[in-house]
Amino acid sequence: MRALKIAGIVAAALVGLIIIGIAALLLFVDPNDYRDDIAKLVEEKTGRPLQIRGELGLKVFPWIAIDLNDVTLGNPPGYGEEPFLTVRKATVGVKLLPLLNKRVEVSRVGIDGLAVTLISRGEEENNWKDLGGSESTEESSGGTTQATIAGLDVTNSMLVYRDEAKKSVMRLMNLEARTGALGGNAPTEAEIRFDYDEGAAPTVAQVALKARAQMLNDGSRLELKDLEGTAKWFGAPEEGAPAAGSAKAASAERAQPLELSVRSAAVSVDLNAETLAPATFAVEVGKLPVELTAQGEKLFGEYVIGGKLSIARTSARELMKSFGIEPPVTSDPKALSAFALATDYRLTENQLALPALDVTLDDTRVRGSVSVDDLETLALRFDLDVNAINLDRYMEPEPQEAKGGGGSAPAEAAQAPPTELPLDAVRKLNVRGQLRIGQATVAKLPFTDIRLPLEARDGRAHLGPTQAKLFGGSYNGDIIFDARQPQAVLSVDEHARGIDIGALMKAGFETDRVAGRGDASAKLTARGKTDAELFKSLSGQIAFNVADGAIMGFDLWYEIQRALAVFKRQPLPERAAGAPRTAFNALSGSAVVDKGVLRNDDLVADLTYIKARGKGTLALESQAVDYRLVAEVYKLPEGGSAQLADLKAAEIPVTISGTLADMKVRPDVQGYLESRFKKQVNEKVEEKKEDIRKKLDEKLKGLFNR
């Protein structure tokens, strides 16, 4: 609306300039002989220099008509030598006889090659404020003069608005405007079109508007009927874009524009009250149909516009295509098939609020409020509730070899190139809000009652304190991502209680080697510029306590029996049916993580026949395992083979190596038995030594007693 007011001022200044020219021509026979006098008169009235380089043409009857060619009006003092306004050619005429009846009948006003440069230096400082004229007018004793204009034609024109305070430029190029008759209360057809850019090529948008306009209530109310607008949006040039005027810039300027349109049956603006009456608009953004209602106040100042916005149910995939976005390939081909939106809105000069947002995406419904508290800094605020979402539907399909359970996913992930962290984007974030999710599925794992508070500002993002119910237990955590330094710092403080540890390990480490239920906590930090650097620098502490579980992939009791049979050269024991697993009653320990390697020095496991303790490491990125355990056989199975008697109260060294996906377990039964045999031999030797010593003592005593 401010732009309309500025355009009105410029038009008034131009018409005033033409009227001054007409008045001058009425006084002089040949206006070309008096260019200096005309320029002097204009400078006296406006304080601005005027130059007329082209010919001035004059007709007197039946029209007082004037042609202006190559005219320049300068800026007020302090705004430099750049002209405020230039006109290549302008024509206007006033019918002579109606003047006798105090009627001013103006012919069609033609303006070609108009160029206007508006400069703003703040709220009150600009280069057009002196052209506003007086706020009040006095009627002559003879009554009011009626004026009409047959129409207006503007061609090949340009309007530039330069905000020196904000260091921004807006430019309307190839400006064309045409109207029907102006003046009185009769409706008139009007249309305008222009190209918009930011002070230089490439073009950002092409806009065209037309409507039937009517001024009512003595010019205080503007009504637009059958409003139609179309636009092609090419997008603002990005940093590092091709130079203006280059072939690449011209090509980029026309690349896949987004087409927009707007229609409204009626729009009514009260120019005195600065209000917009309730109006309905049908908008299309690409193929996205939007129904919009609007009502406004303070239109020419600190405007407030509000209403409702709705998008009928449509295909999200087709919408993405209309915006020039290639839809992703998803594991569920039916994902992104439905989208709908309904909301109230309130727009001001600095803020946008959506207080009653209701969004549907497939089977997911999002309700709540979203607002941008500062449009300049994009300060985003939100408070949203999500009923349920299955994120697995929107992920990429699994590779065919991964579906077979080959266990190659970790290796593939390790070979994937590092992903750059979006540090610049995080540094620009100004976000605060709450997200509540009733149900969510991630990596085939169900989450419920999720609470995700988020605050991001000045390069520091804080997610937490978060909470959820997952894996049959509860979770709470606190995550901080600090991007204020060249290398980001990630801090994690998480606690899980009564959860399915197997599901947790599958989600966190992509392994199903552990089963059981228990508690776990992690307090970790990492730093880097890529996800790989974060993984490698991961440091901190982890603690876990699992009950009634199992470690999949090996059977420790069987491996000990097998090693014993091999040592004794006896038949191998029969392996239990099913996949090998080591069941345990309890498994606990703590670990220190340093540079991506987990070191555990206090592992304790209570198995059916064995108590194990030990220490080792797990490389989180490669999942390489290196553990040394001591397995104490504290009891033997009832009815077991006599061959197992050698294992009674045995403390057997066990080495675990390989990866989580392919662990190698090697109990050193031979070393244990050899050590045990040597110990028994030593004990026998010591017993013999003691017997000999006793006998020798007795002989010596008998000898000395004689």
Side-chain angles (χ1 to χ4, degrees), residues 230-275:
T230 60
K232 290 183 178 180
W233 178 262
F234 299 95
E238 299 179 359
E239 294 183 9
S246 68
K248 288 185 178 180
S251 175
E253 180 182 352
R254 296 294 187 272
Q256 298 181 341
L258 176 64
E259 296 189 2
L260 306 96
S261 68
V262 59
R263 291 177 175 81
S264 180
V267 178
S268 179
V269 178
D270 190 318
L271 301 177
N272 290 341
E274 301 184 13
T275 58

mmCIF file of all heavy atoms in Angstrom, residues 230-275:
data_model
loop_
_atom_site.group_PDB
_atom_site.id
_atom_site.type_symbol
_atom_site.label_atom_id
_atom_site.label_comp_id
_atom_site.label_asym_id
_atom_site.label_seq_id
_atom_site.Cartn_x
_atom_site.Cartn_y
_atom_site.Cartn_z
ATOM 1 N N THR A 230 -1.331 -12.074 -12.452
ATOM 2 C CA THR A 230 -0.484 -13.220 -12.767
ATOM 3 C C THR A 230 0.967 -12.818 -12.558
ATOM 4 O O THR A 230 1.322 -11.632 -12.640
ATOM 5 C CB THR A 230 -0.678 -13.688 -14.221
ATOM 6 O OG1 THR A 230 -0.335 -12.609 -15.111
ATOM 7 C CG2 THR A 230 -2.098 -14.138 -14.472
ATOM 8 N N ALA A 231 1.800 -13.809 -12.265
ATOM 9 C CA ALA A 231 3.223 -13.533 -12.054
ATOM 10 C C ALA A 231 4.027 -14.781 -12.378
ATOM 11 O O ALA A 231 3.538 -15.910 -12.253
ATOM 12 C CB ALA A 231 3.483 -13.088 -10.615
ATOM 13 N N LYS A 232 5.250 -14.553 -12.788
ATOM 14 C CA LYS A 232 6.243 -15.610 -12.930
ATOM 15 C C LYS A 232 7.392 -15.276 -11.996
ATOM 16 O O LYS A 232 7.994 -14.209 -12.118
ATOM 17 C CB LYS A 232 6.732 -15.719 -14.374
ATOM 18 C CG LYS A 232 5.692 -16.255 -15.334
ATOM 19 C CD LYS A 232 6.269 -16.412 -16.727
ATOM 20 C CE LYS A 232 5.242 -17.005 -17.687
ATOM 21 N NZ LYS A 232 5.806 -17.162 -19.051
ATOM 22 N N TRP A 233 7.657 -16.180 -11.079
ATOM 23 C CA TRP A 233 8.696 -15.958 -10.068
ATOM 24 C C TRP A 233 9.926 -16.771 -10.440
ATOM 25 O O TRP A 233 9.904 -17.995 -10.470
ATOM 26 C CB TRP A 233 8.177 -16.364 -8.690
ATOM 27 C CG TRP A 233 9.198 -16.225 -7.603
ATOM 28 C CD1 TRP A 233 9.985 -17.196 -7.076
ATOM 29 C CD2 TRP A 233 9.531 -15.028 -6.900
ATOM 30 N NE1 TRP A 233 10.788 -16.695 -6.104
ATOM 31 C CE2 TRP A 233 10.547 -15.357 -5.963
ATOM 32 C CE3 TRP A 233 9.082 -13.713 -6.966
ATOM 33 C CZ2 TRP A 233 11.101 -14.418 -5.115
ATOM 34 C CZ3 TRP A 233 9.638 -12.775 -6.110
ATOM 35 C CH2 TRP A 233 10.640 -13.130 -5.193
ATOM 36 N N PHE A 234 11.028 -16.057 -10.742
ATOM 37 C CA PHE A 234 12.270 -16.729 -11.109
ATOM 38 C C PHE A 234 13.186 -16.916 -9.911
ATOM 39 O O PHE A 234 14.133 -17.685 -9.962
ATOM 40 C CB PHE A 234 13.010 -15.917 -12.180
ATOM 41 C CG PHE A 234 12.227 -15.763 -13.445
ATOM 42 C CD1 PHE A 234 11.442 -14.647 -13.673
ATOM 43 C CD2 PHE A 234 12.258 -16.755 -14.409
ATOM 44 C CE1 PHE A 234 10.716 -14.517 -14.841
ATOM 45 C CE2 PHE A 234 11.535 -16.631 -15.585
ATOM 46 C CZ PHE A 234 10.755 -15.500 -15.800
ATOM 47 N N GLY A 235 12.918 -16.186 -8.827
ATOM 48 C CA GLY A 235 13.731 -16.308 -7.625
ATOM 49 C C GLY A 235 14.844 -15.284 -7.589
ATOM 50 O O GLY A 235 15.388 -14.876 -8.614
ATOM 51 N N ALA A 236 15.169 -14.858 -6.351
ATOM 52 C CA ALA A 236 16.248 -13.887 -6.168
ATOM 53 C C ALA A 236 17.583 -14.547 -6.483
ATOM 54 O O ALA A 236 17.779 -15.734 -6.214
ATOM 55 C CB ALA A 236 16.238 -13.352 -4.734
ATOM 56 N N PRO A 237 18.536 -13.811 -7.075
ATOM 57 C CA PRO A 237 19.844 -14.403 -7.392
ATOM 58 C C PRO A 237 20.594 -14.775 -6.126
ATOM 59 O O PRO A 237 20.569 -14.055 -5.134
ATOM 60 C CB PRO A 237 20.564 -13.284 -8.158
ATOM 61 C CG PRO A 237 19.879 -12.025 -7.735
ATOM 62 C CD PRO A 237 18.455 -12.400 -7.457
ATOM 63 N N GLU A 238 21.253 -15.937 -6.161
ATOM 64 C CA GLU A 238 22.038 -16.381 -5.022
ATOM 65 C C GLU A 238 23.429 -15.777 -5.080
ATOM 66 O O GLU A 238 23.877 -15.291 -6.117
ATOM 67 C CB GLU A 238 22.141 -17.913 -5.019
ATOM 68 C CG GLU A 238 20.798 -18.611 -4.920
ATOM 69 C CD GLU A 238 20.948 -20.115 -4.934
ATOM 70 O OE1 GLU A 238 22.096 -20.590 -5.046
ATOM 71 O OE2 GLU A 238 19.925 -20.814 -4.842
ATOM 72 N N GLU A 239 24.113 -15.828 -3.918
ATOM 73 C CA GLU A 239 25.486 -15.358 -3.884
ATOM 74 C C GLU A 239 26.340 -16.214 -4.804
ATOM 75 O O GLU A 239 26.224 -17.435 -4.838
ATOM 76 C CB GLU A 239 26.044 -15.420 -2.454
ATOM 77 C CG GLU A 239 25.360 -14.455 -1.506
ATOM 78 C CD GLU A 239 25.981 -14.485 -0.124
ATOM 79 O OE1 GLU A 239 27.038 -15.130 0.029
ATOM 80 O OE2 GLU A 239 25.424 -13.868 0.790
ATOM 81 N N GLY A 240 27.212 -15.535 -5.575
ATOM 82 C CA GLY A 240 28.054 -16.265 -6.512
ATOM 83 C C GLY A 240 27.361 -16.574 -7.821
ATOM 84 O O GLY A 240 27.870 -17.342 -8.625
ATOM 85 N N ALA A 241 26.157 -15.967 -8.050
ATOM 86 C CA ALA A 241 25.455 -16.192 -9.303
ATOM 87 C C ALA A 241 26.203 -15.514 -10.444
ATOM 88 O O ALA A 241 27.014 -14.615 -10.228
ATOM 89 C CB ALA A 241 24.028 -15.644 -9.199
ATOM 90 N N PRO A 242 25.963 -15.917 -11.712
ATOM 91 C CA PRO A 242 26.644 -15.290 -12.845
ATOM 92 C C PRO A 242 26.412 -13.797 -12.883
ATOM 93 O O PRO A 242 25.377 -13.295 -12.438
ATOM 94 C CB PRO A 242 26.002 -15.993 -14.057
ATOM 95 C CG PRO A 242 25.491 -17.283 -13.536
ATOM 96 C CD PRO A 242 25.080 -17.009 -12.113
ATOM 97 N N ALA A 243 27.379 -13.061 -13.388
ATOM 98 C CA ALA A 243 27.306 -11.613 -13.435
ATOM 99 C C ALA A 243 26.124 -11.170 -14.278
ATOM 100 O O ALA A 243 25.734 -11.809 -15.250
ATOM 101 C CB ALA A 243 28.606 -11.046 -14.007
ATOM 102 N N ALA A 244 25.552 -10.011 -13.886
ATOM 103 C CA ALA A 244 24.418 -9.465 -14.609
ATOM 104 C C ALA A 244 24.807 -9.207 -16.054
ATOM 105 O O ALA A 244 25.877 -8.709 -16.359
ATOM 106 C CB ALA A 244 23.957 -8.171 -13.938
ATOM 107 N N GLY A 245 23.884 -9.535 -16.955
ATOM 108 C CA GLY A 245 24.123 -9.293 -18.363
ATOM 109 C C GLY A 245 24.817 -10.432 -19.074
ATOM 110 O O GLY A 245 24.891 -10.450 -20.301
ATOM 111 N N SER A 246 25.361 -11.402 -18.349
ATOM 112 C CA SER A 246 26.048 -12.509 -18.991
ATOM 113 C C SER A 246 25.037 -13.488 -19.566
ATOM 114 O O SER A 246 23.865 -13.504 -19.195
ATOM 115 C CB SER A 246 26.950 -13.232 -17.987
ATOM 116 O OG SER A 246 26.159 -13.887 -17.018
ATOM 117 N N ALA A 247 25.506 -14.324 -20.489
ATOM 118 C CA ALA A 247 24.626 -15.321 -21.102
ATOM 119 C C ALA A 247 24.108 -16.290 -20.057
ATOM 120 O O ALA A 247 22.952 -16.699 -20.075
ATOM 121 C CB ALA A 247 25.370 -16.059 -22.209
ATOM 122 N N LYS A 248 24.996 -16.661 -19.103
ATOM 123 C CA LYS A 248 24.576 -17.587 -18.044
ATOM 124 C C LYS A 248 23.502 -16.965 -17.168
ATOM 125 O O LYS A 248 22.560 -17.620 -16.746
ATOM 126 C CB LYS A 248 25.778 -17.998 -17.192
ATOM 127 C CG LYS A 248 26.734 -18.938 -17.903
ATOM 128 C CD LYS A 248 27.837 -19.398 -16.965
ATOM 129 C CE LYS A 248 28.774 -20.386 -17.640
ATOM 130 N NZ LYS A 248 29.846 -20.838 -16.731
ATOM 131 N N ALA A 249 23.640 -15.660 -16.890
ATOM 132 C CA ALA A 249 22.641 -14.981 -16.070
ATOM 133 C C ALA A 249 21.305 -14.955 -16.788
ATOM 134 O O ALA A 249 20.253 -15.182 -16.200
ATOM 135 C CB ALA A 249 23.103 -13.567 -15.740
ATOM 136 N N ALA A 250 21.331 -14.670 -18.100
ATOM 137 C CA ALA A 250 20.089 -14.641 -18.863
ATOM 138 C C ALA A 250 19.427 -15.999 -18.880
ATOM 139 O O ALA A 250 18.212 -16.124 -18.781
ATOM 140 C CB ALA A 250 20.370 -14.163 -20.288
ATOM 141 N N SER A 251 20.252 -17.051 -18.993
ATOM 142 C CA SER A 251 19.708 -18.406 -18.993
ATOM 143 C C SER A 251 19.112 -18.754 -17.644
ATOM 144 O O SER A 251 18.033 -19.317 -17.551
ATOM 145 C CB SER A 251 20.806 -19.406 -19.360
ATOM 146 O OG SER A 251 20.321 -20.722 -19.264
ATOM 147 N N ALA A 252 19.854 -18.402 -16.567
ATOM 148 C CA ALA A 252 19.363 -18.713 -15.218
ATOM 149 C C ALA A 252 18.083 -17.958 -14.912
ATOM 150 O O ALA A 252 17.206 -18.435 -14.195
ATOM 151 C CB ALA A 252 20.436 -18.367 -14.189
ATOM 152 N N GLU A 253 17.976 -16.718 -15.484
ATOM 153 C CA GLU A 253 16.813 -15.880 -15.213
ATOM 154 C C GLU A 253 15.517 -16.537 -15.673
ATOM 155 O O GLU A 253 14.466 -16.364 -15.080
ATOM 156 C CB GLU A 253 17.017 -14.549 -15.937
ATOM 157 C CG GLU A 253 15.884 -13.552 -15.757
ATOM 158 C CD GLU A 253 16.140 -12.278 -16.536
ATOM 159 O OE1 GLU A 253 17.241 -12.112 -17.075
ATOM 160 O OE2 GLU A 253 15.214 -11.465 -16.601
ATOM 161 N N ARG A 254 15.581 -17.315 -16.742
ATOM 162 C CA ARG A 254 14.384 -17.904 -17.315
ATOM 163 C C ARG A 254 14.209 -19.373 -16.956
ATOM 164 O O ARG A 254 13.415 -20.068 -17.554
ATOM 165 C CB ARG A 254 14.445 -17.765 -18.849
ATOM 166 C CG ARG A 254 14.424 -16.317 -19.335
ATOM 167 C CD ARG A 254 13.090 -15.646 -19.011
ATOM 168 N NE ARG A 254 12.980 -14.335 -19.602
ATOM 169 C CZ ARG A 254 13.394 -13.238 -19.022
ATOM 170 N NH1 ARG A 254 13.979 -13.301 -17.851
ATOM 171 N NH2 ARG A 254 13.219 -12.071 -19.607
ATOM 172 N N ALA A 255 14.989 -19.876 -16.025
ATOM 173 C CA ALA A 255 14.958 -21.310 -15.725
ATOM 174 C C ALA A 255 13.789 -21.649 -14.810
ATOM 175 O O ALA A 255 13.745 -21.233 -13.673
ATOM 176 C CB ALA A 255 16.266 -21.732 -15.067
ATOM 177 N N GLN A 256 12.826 -22.383 -15.362
ATOM 178 C CA GLN A 256 11.724 -22.959 -14.605
ATOM 179 C C GLN A 256 11.105 -21.973 -13.614
ATOM 180 O O GLN A 256 11.201 -22.147 -12.405
ATOM 181 C CB GLN A 256 12.202 -24.209 -13.864
ATOM 182 C CG GLN A 256 12.676 -25.312 -14.797
ATOM 183 C CD GLN A 256 13.120 -26.547 -14.057
ATOM 184 O OE1 GLN A 256 13.413 -26.491 -12.868
ATOM 185 N NE2 GLN A 256 13.180 -27.666 -14.726
ATOM 186 N N PRO A 257 10.448 -20.935 -14.105
ATOM 187 C CA PRO A 257 9.812 -19.987 -13.182
ATOM 188 C C PRO A 257 8.608 -20.617 -12.490
ATOM 189 O O PRO A 257 7.959 -21.526 -13.030
ATOM 190 C CB PRO A 257 9.381 -18.840 -14.104
ATOM 191 C CG PRO A 257 9.175 -19.496 -15.436
ATOM 192 C CD PRO A 257 10.219 -20.568 -15.522
ATOM 193 N N LEU A 258 8.320 -20.125 -11.302
ATOM 194 C CA LEU A 258 7.132 -20.540 -10.570
ATOM 195 C C LEU A 258 5.993 -19.604 -10.964
ATOM 196 O O LEU A 258 6.097 -18.391 -10.818
ATOM 197 C CB LEU A 258 7.392 -20.463 -9.063
ATOM 198 C CG LEU A 258 6.196 -20.774 -8.152
ATOM 199 C CD1 LEU A 258 5.753 -22.212 -8.346
ATOM 200 C CD2 LEU A 258 6.557 -20.501 -6.703
ATOM 201 N N GLU A 259 4.914 -20.169 -11.473
ATOM 202 C CA GLU A 259 3.802 -19.356 -11.934
ATOM 203 C C GLU A 259 2.794 -19.163 -10.800
ATOM 204 O O GLU A 259 2.453 -20.105 -10.088
ATOM 205 C CB GLU A 259 3.135 -20.008 -13.143
ATOM 206 C CG GLU A 259 4.059 -20.090 -14.352
ATOM 207 C CD GLU A 259 3.333 -20.530 -15.604
ATOM 208 O OE1 GLU A 259 2.102 -20.737 -15.535
ATOM 209 O OE2 GLU A 259 3.988 -20.653 -16.658
ATOM 210 N N LEU A 260 2.319 -17.912 -10.676
ATOM 211 C CA LEU A 260 1.365 -17.558 -9.632
ATOM 212 C C LEU A 260 0.211 -16.791 -10.263
ATOM 213 O O LEU A 260 0.380 -16.102 -11.281
ATOM 214 C CB LEU A 260 2.004 -16.701 -8.537
ATOM 215 C CG LEU A 260 3.259 -17.232 -7.855
ATOM 216 C CD1 LEU A 260 4.512 -16.649 -8.504
ATOM 217 C CD2 LEU A 260 3.245 -16.875 -6.366
ATOM 218 N N SER A 261 -0.949 -16.889 -9.639
ATOM 219 C CA SER A 261 -2.097 -16.103 -10.087
ATOM 220 C C SER A 261 -2.985 -15.788 -8.893
ATOM 221 O O SER A 261 -2.993 -16.517 -7.891
ATOM 222 C CB SER A 261 -2.896 -16.854 -11.159
ATOM 223 O OG SER A 261 -3.522 -17.993 -10.604
ATOM 224 N N VAL A 262 -3.734 -14.681 -9.014
ATOM 225 C CA VAL A 262 -4.678 -14.289 -7.965
ATOM 226 C C VAL A 262 -5.911 -13.697 -8.633
ATOM 227 O O VAL A 262 -5.811 -12.968 -9.627
ATOM 228 C CB VAL A 262 -4.033 -13.279 -6.981
ATOM 229 C CG1 VAL A 262 -3.561 -12.025 -7.703
ATOM 230 C CG2 VAL A 262 -5.009 -12.910 -5.864
ATOM 231 N N ARG A 263 -7.082 -14.018 -8.089
ATOM 232 C CA ARG A 263 -8.341 -13.487 -8.606
ATOM 233 C C ARG A 263 -9.241 -13.115 -7.437
ATOM 234 O O ARG A 263 -9.246 -13.794 -6.413
ATOM 235 C CB ARG A 263 -9.042 -14.518 -9.499
ATOM 236 C CG ARG A 263 -8.337 -14.786 -10.813
ATOM 237 C CD ARG A 263 -9.049 -15.870 -11.617
ATOM 238 N NE ARG A 263 -8.441 -16.052 -12.927
ATOM 239 C CZ ARG A 263 -7.341 -16.770 -13.146
ATOM 240 N NH1 ARG A 263 -6.748 -17.387 -12.119
ATOM 241 N NH2 ARG A 263 -6.836 -16.872 -14.359
ATOM 242 N N SER A 264 -9.992 -12.048 -7.632
ATOM 243 C CA SER A 264 -10.956 -11.636 -6.615
ATOM 244 C C SER A 264 -12.107 -10.916 -7.297
ATOM 245 O O SER A 264 -11.892 -10.094 -8.205
ATOM 246 C CB SER A 264 -10.317 -10.716 -5.580
ATOM 247 O OG SER A 264 -11.267 -10.323 -4.605
ATOM 248 N N ALA A 265 -13.325 -11.226 -6.876
ATOM 249 C CA ALA A 265 -14.496 -10.579 -7.468
ATOM 250 C C ALA A 265 -14.575 -9.121 -7.081
ATOM 251 O O ALA A 265 -14.993 -8.268 -7.885
ATOM 252 C CB ALA A 265 -15.767 -11.313 -7.042
ATOM 253 N N ALA A 266 -14.176 -8.777 -5.848
ATOM 254 C CA ALA A 266 -14.289 -7.390 -5.398
ATOM 255 C C ALA A 266 -13.306 -7.113 -4.274
ATOM 256 O O ALA A 266 -13.157 -7.923 -3.354
ATOM 257 C CB ALA A 266 -15.716 -7.103 -4.926
ATOM 258 N N VAL A 267 -12.650 -5.962 -4.368
ATOM 259 C CA VAL A 267 -11.746 -5.480 -3.331
ATOM 260 C C VAL A 267 -12.078 -4.019 -3.078
ATOM 261 O O VAL A 267 -12.163 -3.223 -4.025
ATOM 262 C CB VAL A 267 -10.270 -5.613 -3.748
ATOM 263 C CG1 VAL A 267 -9.360 -5.048 -2.664
ATOM 264 C CG2 VAL A 267 -9.919 -7.061 -4.036
ATOM 265 N N SER A 268 -12.272 -3.655 -1.800
ATOM 266 C CA SER A 268 -12.654 -2.286 -1.451
ATOM 267 C C SER A 268 -11.681 -1.724 -0.423
ATOM 268 O O SER A 268 -11.475 -2.326 0.639
ATOM 269 C CB SER A 268 -14.081 -2.253 -0.892
ATOM 270 O OG SER A 268 -14.441 -0.931 -0.534
ATOM 271 N N VAL A 269 -11.088 -0.554 -0.745
ATOM 272 C CA VAL A 269 -10.124 0.097 0.131
ATOM 273 C C VAL A 269 -10.625 1.495 0.465
ATOM 274 O O VAL A 269 -10.913 2.298 -0.441
ATOM 275 C CB VAL A 269 -8.741 0.189 -0.527
ATOM 276 C CG1 VAL A 269 -7.756 0.914 0.391
ATOM 277 C CG2 VAL A 269 -8.216 -1.198 -0.874
ATOM 278 N N ASP A 270 -10.749 1.789 1.757
ATOM 279 C CA ASP A 270 -11.089 3.138 2.221
ATOM 280 C C ASP A 270 -9.788 3.917 2.354
ATOM 281 O O ASP A 270 -8.988 3.660 3.253
ATOM 282 C CB ASP A 270 -11.823 3.064 3.557
ATOM 283 C CG ASP A 270 -12.420 4.411 3.958
ATOM 284 O OD1 ASP A 270 -11.726 5.433 3.772
ATOM 285 O OD2 ASP A 270 -13.556 4.429 4.446
ATOM 286 N N LEU A 271 -9.567 4.883 1.448
ATOM 287 C CA LEU A 271 -8.295 5.593 1.408
ATOM 288 C C LEU A 271 -8.121 6.536 2.589
ATOM 289 O O LEU A 271 -6.988 6.798 3.010
ATOM 290 C CB LEU A 271 -8.182 6.367 0.091
ATOM 291 C CG LEU A 271 -8.267 5.501 -1.177
ATOM 292 C CD1 LEU A 271 -8.214 6.378 -2.413
ATOM 293 C CD2 LEU A 271 -7.151 4.477 -1.200
ATOM 294 N N ASN A 272 -9.210 7.043 3.117
ATOM 295 C CA ASN A 272 -9.097 7.936 4.276
ATOM 296 C C ASN A 272 -8.872 7.144 5.568
ATOM 297 O O ASN A 272 -8.001 7.486 6.376
ATOM 298 C CB ASN A 272 -10.353 8.804 4.399
ATOM 299 C CG ASN A 272 -10.444 9.840 3.293
ATOM 300 O OD1 ASN A 272 -9.439 10.162 2.649
ATOM 301 N ND2 ASN A 272 -11.649 10.369 3.048
ATOM 302 N N ALA A 273 -9.652 6.087 5.766
ATOM 303 C CA ALA A 273 -9.521 5.276 6.984
ATOM 304 C C ALA A 273 -8.359 4.288 6.882
ATOM 305 O O ALA A 273 -7.981 3.676 7.879
ATOM 306 C CB ALA A 273 -10.823 4.533 7.255
ATOM 307 N N GLU A 274 -7.826 4.112 5.679
ATOM 308 C CA GLU A 274 -6.725 3.175 5.435
ATOM 309 C C GLU A 274 -7.109 1.751 5.833
ATOM 310 O O GLU A 274 -6.367 1.033 6.501
ATOM 311 C CB GLU A 274 -5.449 3.596 6.177
ATOM 312 C CG GLU A 274 -4.936 4.970 5.793
ATOM 313 C CD GLU A 274 -3.622 5.309 6.465
ATOM 314 O OE1 GLU A 274 -2.989 4.400 7.028
ATOM 315 O OE2 GLU A 274 -3.231 6.486 6.433
ATOM 316 N N THR A 275 -8.287 1.324 5.377
ATOM 317 C CA THR A 275 -8.770 -0.016 5.720
ATOM 318 C C THR A 275 -9.101 -0.802 4.448
ATOM 319 O O THR A 275 -9.473 -0.231 3.421
ATOM 320 C CB THR A 275 -10.025 0.045 6.602
ATOM 321 O OG1 THR A 275 -11.054 0.781 5.910
ATOM 322 C CG2 THR A 275 -9.715 0.713 7.931
#
